Each structure stands twice: as structure tokens, then as C-alpha cells.
Amino acid sequence: MTALDVIVIGAGVAGVSAAIEAAGRGARVAVVDAAPGVGGTASGAGGGTCIAGTPLQARLGIEDSVDLALEDWLRWGGDTVDVEWAERYLRAGVPLFFDRLGEAGVRWISVHPHEGNRVPRWHRPDGGGLGVMALLEARARALPGIDWRLGHRVRELVTAGGRITGVRAAHGERDVELSAAAVVVASGGFNNSSELVAEHAGPAAGAERILLGGGRGARGEGHRMLQRVGAQFTQLDAVWMYPYATPDYRHEAEGRGLAIRGVEGEIWVNDQGARFHDESLRGGATGTAALLAQPNGRGWSVLDARIASRMVIADPDYTRGNDPIRARVEEFLRDSPYVVSGATPTELAARMGVDPVQLRAAIADMNAAIDAGLDRDPEHGKPLAGLPRLDEAPFTAVRLHPMARKNLGGVRTDLDGRVLDPDDRPIPGLYAAGEVAGMAGGRINGAAALEGTAFGPSLFSGIVAGRTVSD
Ligand SMILES: Cc1cc2nc3c(=O)[nH]c(=O)nc-3n(C[C@H](O)[C@H](O)[C@H](O)COP(=O)(O)OP(=O)(O)OC[C@H]3O[C@@H](n4cnc5c(N)ncnc54)[C@H](O)[C@@H]3O)c2cc1C
């Protein structure tokens, strides 16, 4: 067996970035992933990235800077932001994402506004996360010195003489042991583990049900391995959830959610049939908080036929590339037990089991505000420009639950990616990057995340760890 310098657990954006950095500097690296392919969560994700002061923003006339972005980041994330990691990430932004990834073929095609940012700075890459991961994989595969161990599930970290010396993995029926001077854990978050989500997010949220929405490989196995060797964790209860998801009824046992998009003009009501929020504020800090404040921490999205006809379900089963598969969306609206409809608001209220007087009032008030040409609805301040009336039968309601998407907390590392023990001492031979490390350092975002601050910081912390282990 060839001697290894580095073992990377996880072939997602953090792990592949660490491997490129380490192998590019001459290290012999094994990348070990339980999945049969490379890419991890990012392959099914947007890849949207928070970058400040870019040439694309300048071309669009958007004035931005690292200092402005850092102010927004700190205001949004609160006291627990890891300020040093956040600042380093933002300062690395343009050289890393435009210059270096630009050379690898990554193109940033548009910039979008998101809650908490004073200017638009969420950059969309061509081809989404899948496109970026394909380019990173091509770059990694072109480097000598990377041994790809796909289909290998790491069960534990091996320790000897007070340091981490390798991993034990299962490959089909076989057990495989690999040794190296350094192990980088880049195993992603835990938002595809109902057990871990219930343990950490459940008590914090107090919701009746939390749907799973992390990547398929985000089962928290790396967290458990790190816990067993005495690593320090922070903010595991900071699970970033979105409010616009409904159970994936075709795979009920998996507990996953389907994200509902494209339904501008919908109203959200609670189990009494009362509206409770400005539905244009759909983020983890706003929309989710409002949903969780409702009885049972759940609600309904109420639509009419016109709005329902534009629904997009952001899931690979319901889309081809970026285009929705209409027949599938219609099947969902017809067959999901979490969807009800009625010819009138009164009939709909009966099927939902909510107070018909409240539901009729919620719909009528919204239509009256639109008819009056108001800028915002008087009750919750939702901007009304361009929104349709809710008046085309049949009326539909989709059950909403919070969906756990990203882990804002994780294992603590120093600024070089070394995993720390509870006394802040590095555990020899052990490094971590990406979502298992709250994207970077343990909690780069603090308690709330500006959008686009998971993929980019995971990539950045992967590079940092890859550099440290090959120095
Ligand atoms: C649908 C969706 C959309 C998103 N969109 C965005 C976005 O637009 N912008 C943004 O900033 N963030 C977004 N995110 C979050 C972002 O994609 C992730 O935070 C990021 O990709 C995490 O990267 P990672 O490398 O740390 O982990 P992952 O990509 O999850 O990779 C971890 C890898 O480790 C492997 N692994 C786990 N356990 C083991 C084990 N025991 N043995 C071997 N291998 C193991 C897994 O199979 C997996 O391949 C989105 C997430 C989702 C789910």
C-alpha cells in the first residue's frame, strides 16, 4: 500500500477543495466517500455564493465592499459569529471565486438580493453547484497523487500515541484501514439524520415536526466520530431551517421535505386560518421564526389555481435541469395527503380543518389591498406590486413544516483547520472543514446566515485545511 500523507473524509466541496490544495502541493491524498460519486451536497444545490466587491457587481452598478458585507454579516449572525473566519472568508472572495475558480472555468452569471444584505451579493454560478463541482472534480482528477476511495464508508478514526493516524472504513463486505499523517474530516452536516435533527434542533424549535432537507450524505457520521475522539463542538442547535417545505409524501419514511417555490401571491395561514406573516420574507431568520411561533410550529400555504399552475418543487424528482416537470407537480397537487383543495374558500377551510371566517377574511383582505392598489398589505406589510388576486378556483392549501437545511454550528477548529479539544488544544493529526465545522471554524455564520454563506465558506475552509496539512 502506498504511504499516504492525508486522508480526506468526504468528496463534497470542502473535501475536494482540501484534496486539490494538498495534492497540488505534492501531498499523497486519499479521498474517501461513502457515496459512489464525487460532489456531495453541492451537486444538488444552488451553489449561490455571498461575495462582496466583485467585478460582476461593479458591471451592474452595485457598490459593495468587504467592510460593508462584514457589517451585514455581523449584524445578521449576532454575537456568536466567528469574526476572524468571516473576515478572512470575505477578503478571500474576489481572488478565490473570480480569479482562481474563474481559471478553473467557473462563471458567475447573476447577482441577487437576499434578506440581511444591504446590496445584492448572492452570486449564481453557471450550472449551479453541480456545475462548479464538475469543474472542481475535473481539476482534482487531473492532479497526480489522489487515490479516490468512493463507496467507502468511514466508521471510525484510528488513534495511536495520542494522535489520529488513520481511518477504518467499510467497502461493501470488506473492512479497509488507511493510515496517514493527517485526517481531514469534511463529512458535511447532519440534516439528513432524523435522530440528530430531533436531538439538536427539536428542543430549540419546539415544532411538532421538522422535515429533513440536508444533502443525502449529511447524516452526521463525521460528528459522531469526532465526538468519540474528544473534539469540541459549538452551536449544534443552530440548525438553519426554511419555512416553505411540505412532506415528501412519496418517500414518507425518509422524513424529507419538498421545497415549494414559484408561488408568489400565496398567503400563509396557521391552524386557525389566520394570516401570520409577510410571505415575501422567507428566510431562516424571518419566515421560519414566524412559522415556529404558530400553534404546533406549522402552517398552510394557500393558493388559487393561477398561482398553483406556476408552482415549482425544488427537488430532482420534480425538475429537469432548472425546468419544472409539470405533470409531476400536478400529480403532487392531486395525490399528496398534505394538499387539500376546494371550490370556494369556505370549502377549502372545511378540508383544512380551520375556521372558515378567518380564512375567508384572510383571502378577502389580501384581494381588497391589491384592488386598492396599495404598495403593501396593511396587516403584515407584504409588498404587493405585481401580485395576483387570489380568486381563481379551485383553491388549494399545502401543509408547511420547517425544513432543516444547513448546520450553522459544528466542530471547533483553529484558523488553520486543526480540530480543537474542549481546552482549545489541537488534537494532533485531526483537521476539519466544511459544514461539519459549521462551514468554517465551528460557526462562521453565528446564529443566522446570510444566504450563500455555506457553499463558499465550505470551499474556503477546505482550501485552508488542505494547505495546513501539506505545509
Ligand atoms: C438543496 C440544497 C441547496 C443548497 N443551496 C445552497 C446555496 O445556494 N448556497 C450555499 O451557500 N449553500 C447551499 N446549500 C448548502 C451547501 O451546499 C452545503 O453546506 C455544502 O455543500 C456542504 O459541503 P461539505 O463539503 O461540507 O459537505 P457535503 O457536500 O455534504 O459532503 C460531505 C460528503 O461526506 C460524505 N460522508 C459523510 N459521512 C461519511 C462517512 N462516514 N464516510 C465516508 N464519507 C462520508 C458524504 O457522502 C458527502 O459526499 C444547499 C444545501 C442543500 C441541501
Side-chain angles (χ1 to χ4, degrees):
M1 187 177 66
T2 335
L4 291 168
D5 299 306
V6 187
I7 296 164
V8 178
I9 306 174
V13 66
V16 171
S17 301
I20 292 173
E21 189 68 22
R25 295 153 70 97
R28 289 152 304 176
V29 181
V31 179
V32 188
D33 200 302
V38 173
T41 300
S43 293
T49 302
C50 174
I51 324 172
T54 68
L56 180 56
Q57 285 175 311
R59 255 200 324 279
L60 296 168
I62 300 165
E63 278 184 39
D64 197 10
S65 69
V66 167
D67 291 339
L68 192 71
L70 187 61
E71 273 177 33
D72 288 349
W73 190 304
L74 297 178
R75 188 160 354 99
W76 201 243
D79 293 345
T80 56
V81 172
D82 188 321
V83 185
E84 280 170 290
W85 268 105
E87 179 163 3
R88 280 195 328 156
Y89 164 71
L90 286 168
R91 294 213 181 283
V94 172
L96 173 56
F97 294 103
F98 275 75
D99 304 343
R100 181 169 157 172
L101 289 194
E103 273 169 35
V106 175
R107 283 195 327 114
W108 301 97
I109 51 176
S110 52
V111 189
H112 303 259
H114 273 290
E115 289 173 37
N117 295 281
R118 275 171 288 175
V119 299
R121 54 171 77 99
W122 187 94
H123 288 66
R124 184 194 295 286
D126 199 6
L130 183 64
V132 180
M133 286 314 299
L135 291 165
L136 289 180
E137 180 180 355
R139 170 156 276 211
R141 289 207 184 261
L143 288 168
I146 302 186
D147 177 6
W148 296 92
R149 299 288 188 124
L150 301 176
H152 285 61
R153 166 164 280 148
V154 178
R155 289 194 208 278
E156 60 185 329
L157 299 167
V158 179
T159 51
R163 59 177 298 126
I164 305 299
T165 57
V167 302
R168 260 182 223 110
H171 180 46
E173 301 289 291
R174 268 189 324 123
D175 283 339
V176 178
E177 188 162 330
L178 300 172
S179 304
V183 175
V184 180
V185 182
S187 51
F190 63 63
N191 290 317
N192 199 26
S193 161
S194 45
E195 208 179 302
L196 288 176
V197 167
E199 181 182 338
H200 296 291
E208 164 206 77
R209 182 168 185 186
I210 299 174
L211 301 171
L212 302 178
R216 293 269 169 188
R219 291 175 304 266
E221 290 172 9
H223 294 71
R224 294 190 195 274
M225 286 178 232
L226 287 161
Q227 272 157 353
R228 286 199 292 270
V229 298
Q232 178 191 158
F233 282 82
T234 180
Q235 272 198 194
L236 288 182
D237 60 344
V239 173
W240 197 234
M241 296 188 253
Y242 292 110
Y244 42 79
T246 195
D248 184 354
Y249 71 103
R250 292 166 67 239
H251 308 103
E252 190 76 61
E254 293 178 11
R256 292 182 64 86
L258 298 170
I260 304 293
R261 299 230 168 90
V263 285
E264 287 78 19
E266 65 174 337
I267 57 170
W268 292 349
V269 300
N270 61 19
D271 282 357
Q272 274 106 41
R275 232 180 117 226
F276 57 86
H277 185 60
D278 165 0
E279 296 84 358
S280 71
L281 298 174
R282 310 168 66 78
T286 51
T288 305
L291 184 65
L292 288 173
Q294 302 314 305
N296 306 315
R298 62 184 193 179
W300 294 96
S301 164
V302 175
L303 325 158
D304 73 350
R306 185 177 13 216
I307 299 169
S309 72
R310 298 193 206 118
M311 179 185 287
V312 176
I313 300 180
D315 182 274
D317 281 355
Y318 295 83
T319 47
R320 195 173 293 113
N322 287 330
D323 301 323
I325 305 172
R326 284 260 59 95
R328 267 291 163 80
V329 177
E330 277 157 27
E331 187 183 297
F332 160 80
L333 288 167
R334 193 187 58 230
D335 295 347
S336 169
Y338 300 99
V339 176
V340 291
S341 58
T344 62
T346 306
E347 203 176 295
L348 182 69
R351 304 248 159 88
M352 294 161 73
V354 304
D355 177 0
V357 177
Q358 297 225 46
L359 184 67
R360 276 200 309 266
I363 295 174
D365 289 351
M366 182 54 70
N367 287 341
I370 292 170
D371 291 346
L374 301 182
D375 291 340
R376 291 179 178 270
D377 91 82
E379 211 184 340
H380 295 288
K382 173 157 82 171
L384 298 178
L387 291 188
R389 297 178 98 247
L390 277 153
D391 59 6
E392 206 175 297
F395 295 88
T396 297
V398 179
R399 174 54 92 191
L400 298 180
H401 292 280
M403 178 172 70
R405 186 68 112 192
K406 298 166 189 164
N407 288 106
L408 302 190
V411 70
R412 290 272 282 144
T413 77
D414 66 10
L415 290 171
D416 294 318
R418 294 184 182 86
V419 172
L420 301 176
D421 72 10
D423 296 319
D424 288 343
R425 289 175 314 211
I427 298 177
L430 190 57
Y431 305 80
E435 198 166 334
V436 70
M439 319 307 170
R443 48 169 199 231
I444 188 171
N445 282 290
L450 296 172
E451 291 299 304
T453 55
F455 175 76
S458 294
L459 190 153
F460 177 64
S461 63
I463 291 177
V464 170
R467 188 170 306 154
T468 309
V469 293
S470 51
D471 266 351

